[in-house]
Amino acid sequence: MKALKLILIAVVMAGALAGLMMLSLGGDSQEKATPEQEALYSKLQSKIEKHWQSNTWQLTQFNDDHIMLNKQKNDLGSSYYTSLNDQLNDAANRALCQAVLDAWSRPTCRLADIEPYMADMERFLQKARGYDKDRRIKDIQATYTLYKEALSLAQANFRLTPRFDMESNKYGPSFRNFKKKQLQLVSDIKQSAFFSNISKVNEVREALQGVGPKLEEAETVFANALARLIVNAYQRERDQLSEDNLGDHRARFRTIRQEYNAEFQTNDNIEAYILSLPTTIFNN
């Protein structure tokens, strides 16, 4: 029992000694600031606040302020230096992100207006460590990705090259499925949580509105090209067949004609080929 008491006393004394050591080091491992450091901190803080009070992004100002703080790092001490760095980075972050949002709020915004800001953001992140996880930054980056995705639709022509295999009597790809995917992409862009940031941009609105008409045009080109492939393939086969074999030829053509008409409107080339067959062996 006595030994147990001695052990408890030793533990308590060790804890007290550790506490005294922490207090002698400043409690939270931070050195107490001198009056000179406090005055310098106040002076530099006022400068930073003045530089960023208008919330206007300037890369040169951001770089200059970091140079200013780095020159005073030793005089400030690690605690004050870190605090001012955080204040500068936060102020610059707000200004930069707001500048991008302001650009997107203008209907006349162009990609060329945004790209310099995104380049500045890369430079900002090189100095402001850890801000790649900041919510404002991540939202701007996600919006930028969505923005470029929307603009890319303005350059798309949606042209597909049809294929037809005579042996299997099948064609591809399915333009219907392709069209569905493209229209779903437009819908996904509009329903994105970040679309409101770019919804006023004329280029974005025109790109999205143009998808439907361009798909209709591309579908017509695809359907006509496919019809020519089918008819040409069947014409080549017909030229090599005897009258006795035209029955199977007729049945297979009816099958592909039915599949074609199920996806596209009636095509003149396909209907003309039907009419070209002898009526005694083909009844459409």
Side-chain angles (χ1 to χ4, degrees):
M1 191 70 173
K2 184 176 181 181
L4 180 60
K5 289 182 178 179
L6 290 174
I7 292 173
L8 291 174
I9 291 172
V11 171
V12 171
M13 291 180 65
L17 180 60
L20 289 172
M21 291 178 65
M22 288 295 293
L23 289 173
S24 67
L25 294 174
D28 58 356
S29 300
Q30 293 182 357
E31 297 179 358
K32 185 176 180 179
T34 65
E36 291 78 13
Q37 288 175 322
E38 291 178 354
L40 180 59
Y41 172 82
S42 180
K43 175 185 176 181
L44 296 180
Q45 184 182 46
S46 296
K47 282 189 175 183
I48 291 172
E49 289 176 350
K50 181 179 179 180
H51 294 164
W52 298 94
Q53 64 183 356
S54 65
N55 201 37
T56 301
W57 166 253
Q58 288 184 337
L59 179 62
T60 54
Q61 186 64 68
F62 176 69
N63 289 334
D64 288 347
D65 283 349
H66 262 288
I67 293 173
M68 174 184 70
L69 292 181
N70 288 334
K71 287 181 177 180
Q72 302 287 352
K73 182 176 182 179
N74 292 333
D75 293 334
L76 280 167
S78 61
S79 179
Y80 276 163
Y81 172 77
T82 300
S83 176
L84 288 174
N85 248 308
D86 290 343
Q87 292 177 46
L88 169 58
N89 291 337
D90 193 52
N93 179 34
R94 287 196 305 271
L96 175 55
C97 291
Q98 190 58 52
V100 183
L101 291 174
D102 288 345
W104 276 326
S105 70
R106 295 188 289 270
T108 57
C109 177
R110 301 281 182 177
L111 182 60
D113 299 325
I114 300 299
E115 287 180 329
Y117 288 124
M118 301 310 297
D120 285 357
M121 186 170 287
E122 291 299 318
R123 297 184 181 95
F124 168 82
L125 291 174
Q126 290 172 4
K127 285 187 170 66
R129 302 290 181 173
Y131 270 78
D132 56 324
K133 298 179 177 63
D134 179 81
R135 175 49 53 191
R136 284 187 293 256
I137 292 286
K138 293 177 74 68
D139 285 354
I140 291 295
Q141 291 174 332
T143 302
Y144 182 59
T145 298
L146 188 72
Y147 177 60
K148 291 194 296 182
E149 188 175 4
L151 293 182
S152 69
L153 294 175
Q155 307 301 323
N157 59 24
F158 305 114
R159 297 294 174 87
L160 294 182
T161 300
R163 301 182 303 274
F164 176 67
D165 180 61
M166 189 66 182
E167 183 176 352
S168 64
N169 206 30
K170 296 293 182 181
Y171 69 82
S174 171
F175 199 93
R176 176 187 294 165
N177 291 340
F178 172 75
K179 182 178 180 180
K180 182 178 180 180
K181 289 180 181 179
Q182 300 308 311
L183 293 176
Q184 184 61 50
L185 176 59
V186 172
S187 178
D188 290 344
I189 290 174
K190 290 182 176 179
Q191 293 177 12
S192 168
F194 305 102
F195 182 67
S196 59
N197 292 336
I198 58 175
S199 61
K200 295 180 180 179
V201 179
N202 287 338
E203 277 192 329
V204 170
R205 297 170 65 180
E206 292 168 2
L208 299 181
Q209 290 172 358
V211 170
K214 287 198 296 184
L215 280 171
E216 295 297 330
E217 179 184 353
E219 183 177 29
T220 298
V221 173
F222 180 89
N224 288 337
L226 175 60
R228 288 192 296 271
L229 283 177
I230 295 172
V231 170
N232 290 341
Y234 269 87
Q235 184 64 63
R236 286 193 297 270
E237 181 184 78
R238 180 185 175 184
D239 292 342
Q240 300 174 11
L241 294 177
S242 65
E243 289 291 328
D244 295 336
N245 296 327
L246 286 178
D248 181 62
H249 181 86
R250 171 192 63 192
R252 295 178 70 244
F253 188 80
R254 273 182 166 171
T255 299
I256 193 62
R257 177 200 182 201
Q258 183 178 10
E259 291 180 8
Y260 179 94
N261 288 344
E263 182 168 357
F264 309 103
Q265 295 180 353
T266 302
N267 182 271
D268 291 343
N269 283 343
I270 289 180
E271 298 309 310
Y273 184 74
I274 292 174
L275 295 176
S276 72
L277 293 171
T279 57
T280 54
I281 60 95
F282 196 97
N283 183 4
N284 63 339

